[in-house]
Structures are given as C-alpha cells and as structure tokens.
Amino acid sequence: QVQLVESGGGSVQAGGSLRLSCVVSEYSYFSNHMGWFRQAPGKEREGVASIDRYGRPRYADSVQGRFTISKDNTKNTLYLQMFSLKPEDTARYYCAAAESWMWRHSGLSIDEYNYWGQGSQVTVSS
C-alpha cells in the first residue's frame, strides 16, 4: 500500500511562509494526480491545490495566488509552498494520492483520492 509522509508544518505569523512536503513511497501513484487538502477544527476537509498527471496545477479560490503546488520527480516528493499566510489558513494539511481512474475534473474533491497522509499542522497567528 502506498505511503504518504508529510512534513514542514509549523507556526508562523500572518504574512509568513511555509513549505509542506509529502514523500510518496510508490512512483506509480506519484505520477498520477495528487492534491493537498486541509481541515480546520469543526470544518469539513477541503481541497486546496491539485496537480494532474500532466503537471497542471489547480487551486481553490481562497489560496489562488498565494500557494504553489509542485512535484520533484527525482525525489517522489510533492510540495505546497504557502506565501502570505492568513489566520484562516490555520488547519491540518493532508496530501493525497489516487489511482489514475479516480480523476474527475479538478483534483480538489475528496472522492478523487483514496490514499492520505497523516497530516501536518499549520498554525497562523495574527
């Protein structure tokens, strides 16, 4: 079973930056679409950014222009670079992988994934 291991979370002040990393154990999944999701206390998990099998990114409106998703094919690692962080970005962030057939239209829906990392906490203070 594919393993996803996230790192890079932490606490920052508003306006700061963080980079999350997600190492994927199997390239066959890494080469498919992948995504970053987040879940704040009391809220549903939501899609933040995705990258399709061709390397094309998509973003939620709330992070467009501030977050960048990317892959390093030499390291089987997915990244989420976050700039201009806001207190409302505070959440636990999860990377996700899937079988290729699960792609539907954006890669920002939970049902487009079946493998999840353990999550990494991001806390932004005002």
Side-chain angles (χ1 to χ4, degrees), residues 13 43-44 46 54 71 81 124 126:
Q13 290 190 327
K43 295 188 177 181
E44 294 185 351
E46 63 174 354
Y54 304 108
K71 284 183 174 181
Q81 179 69 58
V124 185
S126 57

Side-chain angles (χ1 to χ4, degrees), residues 79-100:
Y79 298 103
L80 183 68
Q81 179 69 58
M82 304 181 289
F83 298 102
S84 302
L85 284 162
K86 304 176 181 180
E88 51 264 44
D89 294 319
T90 295
R92 192 164 186 85
Y93 284 70
Y94 299 87
C95 69
E99 316 290 346
S100 59

